[in-house]
Amino acid sequence: GDSVTQMEGPVTLSEEAFLTINCTYTATGYPSLFWYVQYPGEGLQLLLKATKADDKGSNKGFEATYRKETTSFHLEKGSVQVSDSAVYFCALLFQGGSEKLVFGKGTKLTVNP
Amino acid sequence: EPEVTQTPSHQVTQMGQEVILRCVPISNHLYFYWYRQILGQKVEFLVSFYNNEISEKSEIFDDQFSVERPDGSNFTLKIRSTKLEDSAMYFCASSPGRNTEAFFGQGTRLTVV
């Protein structure tokens, strides 16, 4: 079945460091791909999305490109801030069939000043 | 900005008791969902609800679970006889249409003792 594999955390970085969180997926067909973020004490918030191959989603300095050839949707940010400390979830939504989001396990990011 | 709200934020219940988790989805959304996350594990889909009926459910969503939209604004998840393994964070979500991104609430942490 459809699945998402995310880089295991936790990840600890210093402020202004480069961030990559890897995400790969297994799906039949062409899913939409998402990154959700959960800040401490808050719910899941949509960070960015891409609905077809080669699309790049971006928001708040974060980017991820939908790579069909490698079935990946890695999250990147050039310079992280302390306020980016959160748990990041990669997810897929299969178009045209199931309505459910399939999530990865989440990666906890801590950014130190 | 419209948001999904969930109450309570934390619920402690004794094994075997019934619990009702409450959610107010975004007002013009048509699709409603419940997900759960057992500590340290993936966010898992439980059920989706559209047009006053369940449109999809997972194998987790057995006979002890039920959902209801008792009025025009609330969306509830009832667990009839809680078990220890029901302890988890339960997320409600809503979306404006089929296969569009879902907006999540802050979650209800259910602890079964």
CSV table of all heavy atoms in Angstrom, one decimal, chain A residues 6-63:
chain,number,residue,atom,x,y,z
A,6,GLN,N,10.3,8.7,6.3
A,6,GLN,CA,10.9,10.0,6.6
A,6,GLN,C,12.2,9.7,7.4
A,6,GLN,O,12.3,8.7,8.1
A,6,GLN,CB,10.0,10.7,7.6
A,6,GLN,CG,9.6,12.1,7.1
A,6,GLN,CD,8.7,12.8,8.1
A,6,GLN,OE1,7.5,12.5,8.3
A,6,GLN,NE2,9.3,13.7,8.8
A,7,MET,N,13.1,10.6,7.2
A,7,MET,CA,14.4,10.6,8.0
A,7,MET,C,14.1,10.6,9.5
A,7,MET,O,13.2,11.3,10.0
A,7,MET,CB,15.1,11.9,7.6
A,7,MET,CG,16.3,12.2,8.3
A,7,MET,SD,17.0,13.7,7.5
A,7,MET,CE,18.0,14.3,8.8
A,8,GLU,N,14.8,9.7,10.1
A,8,GLU,CA,14.6,9.6,11.6
A,8,GLU,C,15.2,10.8,12.3
A,8,GLU,O,16.3,11.2,11.9
A,8,GLU,CB,15.2,8.3,12.1
A,8,GLU,CG,14.5,7.0,11.6
A,8,GLU,CD,13.3,6.7,12.4
A,8,GLU,OE1,13.2,7.1,13.6
A,8,GLU,OE2,12.4,6.0,11.9
A,9,GLY,N,14.6,11.2,13.3
A,9,GLY,CA,15.2,12.3,14.1
A,9,GLY,C,15.7,11.8,15.4
A,9,GLY,O,15.9,10.6,15.5
A,10,PRO,N,15.9,12.6,16.3
A,10,PRO,CA,15.8,14.1,16.2
A,10,PRO,C,17.0,14.7,15.5
A,10,PRO,O,18.0,14.1,15.4
A,10,PRO,CB,15.7,14.6,17.6
A,10,PRO,CG,16.5,13.6,18.4
A,10,PRO,CD,16.3,12.2,17.7
A,11,VAL,N,16.7,15.9,14.9
A,11,VAL,CA,17.8,16.6,14.2
A,11,VAL,C,18.0,17.9,15.1
A,11,VAL,O,17.1,18.6,15.4
A,11,VAL,CB,17.3,17.0,12.8
A,11,VAL,CG1,18.3,18.0,12.2
A,11,VAL,CG2,17.1,15.8,12.0
A,12,THR,N,19.3,18.2,15.3
A,12,THR,CA,19.7,19.3,16.1
A,12,THR,C,20.6,20.2,15.3
A,12,THR,O,21.7,19.6,14.8
A,12,THR,CB,20.3,19.0,17.4
A,12,THR,OG1,19.4,18.2,18.2
A,12,THR,CG2,20.7,20.2,18.2
A,13,LEU,N,20.3,21.4,15.1
A,13,LEU,CA,21.1,22.3,14.2
A,13,LEU,C,21.4,23.6,15.0
A,13,LEU,O,20.6,24.0,15.9
A,13,LEU,CB,20.5,22.6,12.9
A,13,LEU,CG,20.3,21.4,11.9
A,13,LEU,CD1,19.4,21.9,10.8
A,13,LEU,CD2,21.6,20.9,11.5
A,14,SER,N,22.4,24.3,14.6
A,14,SER,CA,22.6,25.7,15.0
A,14,SER,C,21.9,26.6,14.1
A,14,SER,O,21.7,26.3,12.9
A,14,SER,CB,24.1,26.0,15.1
A,14,SER,OG,24.8,25.1,15.9
A,15,GLU,N,21.6,27.8,14.7
A,15,GLU,CA,20.9,28.8,13.9
A,15,GLU,C,21.7,29.1,12.6
A,15,GLU,O,23.0,29.1,12.7
A,15,GLU,CB,20.7,30.0,14.7
A,15,GLU,CG,19.5,30.9,14.4
A,15,GLU,CD,19.2,31.9,15.5
A,15,GLU,OE1,20.1,32.2,16.3
A,15,GLU,OE2,18.0,32.3,15.5
A,16,GLU,N,21.0,29.3,11.5
A,16,GLU,CA,21.6,29.7,10.2
A,16,GLU,C,22.2,28.4,9.5
A,16,GLU,O,22.7,28.6,8.4
A,16,GLU,CB,22.7,30.8,10.3
A,16,GLU,CG,22.1,32.1,10.8
A,16,GLU,CD,23.1,33.2,10.9
A,16,GLU,OE1,24.2,33.0,10.4
A,16,GLU,OE2,22.7,34.3,11.4
A,17,ALA,N,22.1,27.3,10.1
A,17,ALA,CA,22.6,26.1,9.4
A,17,ALA,C,21.6,25.7,8.3
A,17,ALA,O,20.4,26.1,8.2
A,17,ALA,CB,22.7,24.9,10.3
A,18,PHE,N,22.1,24.9,7.3
A,18,PHE,CA,21.2,24.3,6.2
A,18,PHE,C,20.5,23.1,6.7
A,18,PHE,O,21.1,22.2,7.4
A,18,PHE,CB,22.1,24.0,5.0
A,18,PHE,CG,21.3,23.5,3.8
A,18,PHE,CD1,20.8,24.4,2.9
A,18,PHE,CD2,21.1,22.2,3.6
A,18,PHE,CE1,20.1,24.0,1.8
A,18,PHE,CE2,20.4,21.7,2.5
A,18,PHE,CZ,19.9,22.7,1.6
A,19,LEU,N,19.2,23.0,6.4
A,19,LEU,CA,18.4,21.9,6.8
A,19,LEU,C,17.9,21.1,5.6
A,19,LEU,O,17.5,21.6,4.6
A,19,LEU,CB,17.1,22.4,7.5
A,19,LEU,CG,16.0,21.4,7.8
A,19,LEU,CD1,16.5,20.4,8.8
A,19,LEU,CD2,14.7,22.1,8.1
A,20,THR,N,18.1,19.7,5.7
A,20,THR,CA,17.4,18.8,4.8
A,20,THR,C,16.8,17.7,5.6
A,20,THR,O,17.4,17.2,6.5
A,20,THR,CB,18.4,18.1,3.9
A,20,THR,OG1,19.1,19.1,3.1
A,20,THR,CG2,17.7,17.2,2.9
A,21,ILE,N,15.5,17.5,5.4
A,21,ILE,CA,14.8,16.4,6.0
A,21,ILE,C,14.3,15.5,4.8
A,21,ILE,O,13.5,16.0,4.0
A,21,ILE,CB,13.6,16.8,6.8
A,21,ILE,CG1,14.1,17.7,8.0
A,21,ILE,CG2,12.9,15.5,7.4
A,21,ILE,CD1,12.9,18.2,8.9
A,22,ASN,N,14.8,14.3,4.7
A,22,ASN,CA,14.5,13.4,3.6
A,22,ASN,C,13.1,12.8,3.8
A,22,ASN,O,12.7,12.4,4.9
A,22,ASN,CB,15.5,12.3,3.5
A,22,ASN,CG,16.9,12.8,3.0
A,22,ASN,OD1,16.9,13.9,2.4
A,22,ASN,ND2,17.9,12.1,3.2
A,23,CYS,N,12.4,12.6,2.6
A,23,CYS,CA,11.2,12.0,2.6
A,23,CYS,C,11.1,11.2,1.3
A,23,CYS,O,11.3,11.8,0.2
A,23,CYS,CB,10.0,13.0,2.7
A,23,CYS,SG,8.4,12.3,2.4
A,24,THR,N,10.8,9.9,1.3
A,24,THR,CA,10.5,9.2,0.1
A,24,THR,C,9.1,8.5,0.3
A,24,THR,O,8.7,8.3,1.4
A,24,THR,CB,11.6,8.1,-0.1
A,24,THR,OG1,11.7,7.3,1.0
A,24,THR,CG2,12.9,8.7,-0.4
A,25,TYR,N,8.5,8.2,-0.8
A,25,TYR,CA,7.2,7.6,-0.8
A,25,TYR,C,7.1,6.4,-1.7
A,25,TYR,O,7.8,6.2,-2.6
A,25,TYR,CB,6.1,8.7,-1.1
A,25,TYR,CG,6.2,9.1,-2.6
A,25,TYR,CD1,5.5,8.5,-3.5
A,25,TYR,CD2,7.0,10.2,-2.9
A,25,TYR,CE1,5.5,8.9,-4.9
A,25,TYR,CE2,7.0,10.6,-4.2
A,25,TYR,CZ,6.3,10.0,-5.2
A,25,TYR,OH,6.4,10.4,-6.5
A,26,THR,N,6.1,5.6,-1.4
A,26,THR,CA,5.7,4.5,-2.2
A,26,THR,C,4.2,4.7,-2.5
A,26,THR,O,3.4,4.8,-1.5
A,26,THR,CB,5.9,3.1,-1.6
A,26,THR,OG1,7.3,3.0,-1.2
A,26,THR,CG2,5.5,2.0,-2.5
A,27,ALA,N,3.8,4.8,-3.7
A,27,ALA,CA,2.4,5.0,-4.0
A,27,ALA,C,2.1,4.5,-5.5
A,27,ALA,O,2.9,4.6,-6.3
A,27,ALA,CB,2.0,6.4,-3.9
A,28,THR,N,0.9,4.0,-5.6
A,28,THR,CA,0.4,3.7,-7.0
A,28,THR,C,-0.2,5.0,-7.5
A,28,THR,O,-0.8,5.8,-6.8
A,28,THR,CB,-0.7,2.6,-7.0
A,28,THR,OG1,-1.6,3.0,-6.0
A,28,THR,CG2,-0.1,1.3,-6.6
A,29,GLY,N,0.1,5.3,-8.8
A,29,GLY,CA,-0.4,6.5,-9.4
A,29,GLY,C,0.4,7.7,-9.0
A,29,GLY,O,1.6,7.6,-8.6
A,30,TYR,N,-0.2,8.9,-8.9
A,30,TYR,CA,0.5,10.1,-8.7
A,30,TYR,C,-0.1,10.9,-7.6
A,30,TYR,O,-1.1,11.7,-7.8
A,30,TYR,CB,0.5,10.9,-10.0
A,30,TYR,CG,1.1,10.2,-11.2
A,30,TYR,CD1,0.2,9.6,-12.1
A,30,TYR,CD2,2.4,10.0,-11.3
A,30,TYR,CE1,0.8,8.8,-13.2
A,30,TYR,CE2,3.0,9.2,-12.3
A,30,TYR,CZ,2.1,8.7,-13.3
A,30,TYR,OH,2.7,7.9,-14.3
A,31,PRO,N,0.4,10.7,-6.4
A,31,PRO,CA,-0.2,11.4,-5.3
A,31,PRO,C,0.2,12.9,-5.2
A,31,PRO,O,1.1,13.3,-5.9
A,31,PRO,CB,0.5,10.7,-4.1
A,31,PRO,CG,1.8,10.2,-4.6
A,31,PRO,CD,1.6,9.9,-6.0
A,32,SER,N,-0.6,13.6,-4.4
A,32,SER,CA,-0.1,14.9,-4.0
A,32,SER,C,0.7,14.8,-2.7
A,32,SER,O,0.5,13.8,-1.9
A,32,SER,CB,-1.3,15.8,-3.6
A,32,SER,OG,-2.1,16.1,-4.8
A,33,LEU,N,1.7,15.6,-2.6
A,33,LEU,CA,2.7,15.5,-1.5
A,33,LEU,C,2.6,16.8,-0.6
A,33,LEU,O,2.5,17.9,-1.1
A,33,LEU,CB,4.1,15.3,-2.0
A,33,LEU,CG,4.2,14.0,-2.9
A,33,LEU,CD1,5.6,14.0,-3.5
A,33,LEU,CD2,4.0,12.8,-2.0
A,34,PHE,N,2.8,16.6,0.7
A,34,PHE,CA,2.7,17.7,1.6
A,34,PHE,C,3.8,17.6,2.7
A,34,PHE,O,4.3,16.5,3.0
A,34,PHE,CB,1.3,17.6,2.4
A,34,PHE,CG,0.1,17.6,1.5
A,34,PHE,CD1,-0.3,16.4,1.0
A,34,PHE,CD2,-0.5,18.7,1.2
A,34,PHE,CE1,-1.5,16.4,0.1
A,34,PHE,CE2,-1.7,18.7,0.4
A,34,PHE,CZ,-2.1,17.5,-0.1
A,35,TRP,N,4.1,18.7,3.2
A,35,TRP,CA,4.8,18.8,4.5
A,35,TRP,C,4.0,19.6,5.5
A,35,TRP,O,3.5,20.7,5.2
A,35,TRP,CB,6.2,19.5,4.3
A,35,TRP,CG,7.3,18.7,3.8
A,35,TRP,CD1,7.7,18.6,2.5
A,35,TRP,CD2,8.0,17.7,4.6
A,35,TRP,NE1,8.7,17.6,2.5
A,35,TRP,CE2,9.0,17.1,3.7
A,35,TRP,CE3,8.1,17.4,5.9
A,35,TRP,CZ2,9.9,16.1,4.1
A,35,TRP,CZ3,9.0,16.4,6.3
A,35,TRP,CH2,9.9,15.8,5.4
A,36,TYR,N,3.7,18.9,6.6
A,36,TYR,CA,3.0,19.6,7.7
A,36,TYR,C,4.0,19.8,8.9
A,36,TYR,O,5.0,19.1,9.0
A,36,TYR,CB,1.9,18.6,8.3
A,36,TYR,CG,0.7,18.7,7.5
A,36,TYR,CD1,0.5,17.9,6.3
A,36,TYR,CD2,-0.4,19.5,7.8
A,36,TYR,CE1,-0.7,17.9,5.6
A,36,TYR,CE2,-1.6,19.5,7.1
A,36,TYR,CZ,-1.7,18.7,6.0
A,36,TYR,OH,-2.9,18.7,5.2
A,37,VAL,N,3.8,20.8,9.7
A,37,VAL,CA,4.6,21.2,10.8
A,37,VAL,C,3.8,21.3,12.0
A,37,VAL,O,2.7,21.7,12.0
A,37,VAL,CB,5.4,22.5,10.5
A,37,VAL,CG1,4.5,23.7,10.3
A,37,VAL,CG2,6.4,22.8,11.7
A,38,GLN,N,4.4,20.8,13.1
A,38,GLN,CA,3.7,20.9,14.4
A,38,GLN,C,4.6,21.6,15.4
A,38,GLN,O,5.6,21.0,15.9
A,38,GLN,CB,3.3,19.5,14.9
A,38,GLN,CG,2.5,19.5,16.2
A,38,GLN,CD,2.1,18.1,16.7
A,38,GLN,OE1,2.8,17.2,16.4
A,38,GLN,NE2,1.0,18.0,17.3
A,39,TYR,N,4.3,22.8,15.7
A,39,TYR,CA,5.1,23.6,16.7
A,39,TYR,C,4.7,23.1,18.1
A,39,TYR,O,3.6,22.6,18.3
A,39,TYR,CB,4.8,25.1,16.5
A,39,TYR,CG,5.3,25.6,15.2
A,39,TYR,CD1,4.4,25.9,14.2
A,39,TYR,CD2,6.7,25.8,14.9
A,39,TYR,CE1,4.8,26.4,12.9
A,39,TYR,CE2,7.1,26.2,13.7
A,39,TYR,CZ,6.2,26.5,12.7
A,39,TYR,OH,6.6,27.0,11.5
A,40,PRO,N,5.5,23.3,19.1
A,40,PRO,CA,5.2,22.8,20.4
A,40,PRO,C,3.9,23.3,20.9
A,40,PRO,O,3.6,24.5,20.9
A,40,PRO,CB,6.4,23.4,21.2
A,40,PRO,CG,7.5,23.6,20.3
A,40,PRO,CD,6.9,23.9,19.0
A,41,GLY,N,3.0,22.4,21.3
A,41,GLY,CA,1.7,22.7,21.9
A,41,GLY,C,0.7,23.1,20.9
A,41,GLY,O,-0.4,23.5,21.3
A,42,GLU,N,1.0,22.9,19.6
A,42,GLU,CA,0.0,23.3,18.6
A,42,GLU,C,-0.4,22.1,17.7
A,42,GLU,O,0.2,21.0,17.9
A,42,GLU,CB,0.6,24.5,17.7
A,42,GLU,CG,0.9,25.7,18.5
A,42,GLU,CD,1.3,26.9,17.7
A,42,GLU,OE1,1.0,26.8,16.4
A,42,GLU,OE2,1.9,27.8,18.2
A,43,GLY,N,-1.3,22.4,16.8
A,43,GLY,CA,-1.8,21.3,15.9
A,43,GLY,C,-0.9,21.2,14.7
A,43,GLY,O,0.1,21.9,14.6
A,44,LEU,N,-1.3,20.3,13.8
A,44,LEU,CA,-0.6,20.2,12.5
A,44,LEU,C,-1.0,21.3,11.6
A,44,LEU,O,-2.1,21.6,11.4
A,44,LEU,CB,-1.0,18.9,11.9
A,44,LEU,CG,-0.6,17.6,12.6
A,44,LEU,CD1,-1.3,16.4,12.0
A,44,LEU,CD2,0.9,17.4,12.5
A,45,GLN,N,0.0,22.0,11.0
A,45,GLN,CA,-0.2,23.1,10.1
A,45,GLN,C,0.4,22.7,8.7
A,45,GLN,O,1.5,22.2,8.7
A,45,GLN,CB,0.4,24.4,10.6
A,45,GLN,CG,0.0,24.9,11.9
A,45,GLN,CD,0.7,26.1,12.3
A,45,GLN,OE1,1.3,26.8,11.5
A,45,GLN,NE2,0.8,26.3,13.6
A,46,LEU,N,-0.3,23.0,7.7
A,46,LEU,CA,0.3,22.7,6.4
A,46,LEU,C,1.4,23.7,6.1
A,46,LEU,O,1.2,24.9,6.2
A,46,LEU,CB,-0.8,22.9,5.3
A,46,LEU,CG,-0.3,22.7,3.8
A,46,LEU,CD1,0.1,21.3,3.6
A,46,LEU,CD2,-1.4,23.1,2.9
A,47,LEU,N,2.6,23.2,5.8
A,47,LEU,CA,3.7,24.1,5.5
A,47,LEU,C,3.8,24.3,4.0
A,47,LEU,O,4.0,25.5,3.6
A,47,LEU,CB,5.0,23.4,6.0
A,47,LEU,CG,6.3,24.1,5.8
A,47,LEU,CD1,6.3,25.5,6.5
A,47,LEU,CD2,7.5,23.3,6.3
A,48,LEU,N,3.8,23.3,3.2
A,48,LEU,CA,3.8,23.4,1.7
A,48,LEU,C,3.3,22.2,1.1
A,48,LEU,O,3.2,21.1,1.7
A,48,LEU,CB,5.3,23.8,1.3
A,48,LEU,CG,6.4,22.8,1.7
A,48,LEU,CD1,6.5,21.6,0.8
A,48,LEU,CD2,7.7,23.6,1.7
A,49,LYS,N,3.1,22.3,-0.2
A,49,LYS,CA,2.5,21.1,-1.0
A,49,LYS,C,3.0,21.2,-2.4
A,49,LYS,O,3.4,22.2,-2.9
A,49,LYS,CB,1.0,21.1,-0.9
A,49,LYS,CG,0.4,22.3,-1.7
A,49,LYS,CD,-1.2,22.1,-1.7
A,49,LYS,CE,-1.8,23.2,-2.5
A,49,LYS,NZ,-3.2,23.1,-2.6
A,50,ALA,N,2.9,20.0,-3.1
A,50,ALA,CA,3.1,19.9,-4.5
A,50,ALA,C,2.2,18.8,-5.0
A,50,ALA,O,2.0,17.8,-4.4
A,50,ALA,CB,4.6,19.5,-4.8
A,51,THR,N,1.5,19.1,-6.1
A,51,THR,CA,0.5,18.2,-6.6
A,51,THR,C,0.9,17.4,-7.9
A,51,THR,O,0.2,16.5,-8.2
A,51,THR,CB,-0.8,19.0,-7.0
A,51,THR,OG1,-0.5,20.0,-7.9
A,51,THR,CG2,-1.4,19.6,-5.7
A,52,LYS,N,2.0,17.8,-8.5
A,52,LYS,CA,2.5,17.0,-9.6
A,52,LYS,C,4.0,17.0,-9.7
A,52,LYS,O,4.7,17.8,-9.2
A,52,LYS,CB,1.8,17.4,-10.9
A,52,LYS,CG,2.1,18.8,-11.3
A,52,LYS,CD,1.3,19.2,-12.6
A,52,LYS,CE,1.7,20.5,-13.2
A,52,LYS,NZ,1.5,21.6,-12.2
A,53,ALA,N,4.5,16.1,-10.5
A,53,ALA,CA,5.9,15.9,-10.7
A,53,ALA,C,6.6,17.2,-11.1
A,53,ALA,O,6.0,17.9,-11.9
A,53,ALA,CB,6.2,14.8,-11.7
A,54,ASP,N,7.7,17.5,-10.5
A,54,ASP,CA,8.6,18.6,-10.8
A,54,ASP,C,8.0,19.9,-10.1
A,54,ASP,O,8.7,21.0,-10.2
A,54,ASP,CB,8.9,18.8,-12.2
A,54,ASP,CG,9.6,17.7,-12.9
A,54,ASP,OD1,10.4,17.0,-12.2
A,54,ASP,OD2,9.3,17.3,-14.0
A,55,ASP,N,6.9,19.9,-9.5
A,55,ASP,CA,6.4,21.0,-8.8
A,55,ASP,C,7.3,21.3,-7.6
A,55,ASP,O,7.8,20.4,-7.0
A,55,ASP,CB,4.9,20.7,-8.2
A,55,ASP,CG,3.9,21.2,-9.2
A,55,ASP,OD1,4.2,21.7,-10.2
A,55,ASP,OD2,2.7,21.1,-8.8
A,56,LYS,N,7.5,22.6,-7.3
A,56,LYS,CA,8.2,22.9,-6.1
A,56,LYS,C,7.2,23.7,-5.2
A,56,LYS,O,6.6,24.7,-5.6
A,56,LYS,CB,9.4,23.8,-6.4
A,56,LYS,CG,10.2,24.3,-5.2
A,56,LYS,CD,11.2,25.3,-5.5
A,56,LYS,CE,12.4,24.7,-6.1
A,56,LYS,NZ,13.6,25.6,-6.2
A,57,GLY,N,7.1,23.2,-4.0
A,57,GLY,CA,6.3,23.9,-3.0
A,57,GLY,C,7.3,24.7,-2.1
A,57,GLY,O,8.4,24.3,-1.9
A,58,SER,N,6.8,25.9,-1.7
A,58,SER,CA,7.7,26.7,-0.9
A,58,SER,C,6.8,27.6,0.1
A,58,SER,O,5.7,27.9,-0.3
A,58,SER,CB,8.5,27.6,-1.7
A,58,SER,OG,7.7,28.5,-2.5
A,59,ASN,N,7.4,27.8,1.2
A,59,ASN,CA,6.7,28.7,2.2
A,59,ASN,C,7.7,28.9,3.4
A,59,ASN,O,8.4,28.0,3.8
A,59,ASN,CB,5.5,27.9,2.8
A,59,ASN,CG,4.6,28.8,3.7
A,59,ASN,OD1,4.7,30.0,3.7
A,59,ASN,ND2,3.8,28.1,4.5
A,60,LYS,N,7.7,30.2,3.8
A,60,LYS,CA,8.5,30.6,5.0
A,60,LYS,C,10.0,30.2,4.8
A,60,LYS,O,10.7,29.9,5.8
A,60,LYS,CB,8.0,29.9,6.3
A,60,LYS,CG,6.6,30.3,6.6
A,60,LYS,CD,6.1,29.6,7.9
A,60,LYS,CE,4.7,29.9,8.3
A,60,LYS,NZ,4.3,29.3,9.5
A,61,GLY,N,10.5,30.2,3.6
A,61,GLY,CA,11.9,29.8,3.4
A,61,GLY,C,12.1,28.3,3.2
A,61,GLY,O,13.2,27.9,2.8
A,62,PHE,N,11.1,27.5,3.4
A,62,PHE,CA,11.2,26.1,3.2
A,62,PHE,C,10.8,25.8,1.7
A,62,PHE,O,10.0,26.4,1.2
A,62,PHE,CB,10.3,25.3,4.1
A,62,PHE,CG,10.7,25.3,5.5
A,62,PHE,CD1,10.2,26.4,6.4
A,62,PHE,CD2,11.5,24.4,6.1
A,62,PHE,CE1,10.6,26.4,7.7
A,62,PHE,CE2,11.9,24.4,7.4
A,62,PHE,CZ,11.4,25.4,8.2
A,63,GLU,N,11.5,24.7,1.2
A,63,GLU,CA,11.2,24.3,-0.2
A,63,GLU,C,11.2,22.8,-0.2
A,63,GLU,O,11.9,22.1,0.5
A,63,GLU,CB,12.2,24.8,-1.2
A,63,GLU,CG,12.3,26.3,-1.4
A,63,GLU,CD,13.3,26.7,-2.4
A,63,GLU,OE1,14.2,25.9,-2.7
A,63,GLU,OE2,13.2,27.8,-3.0
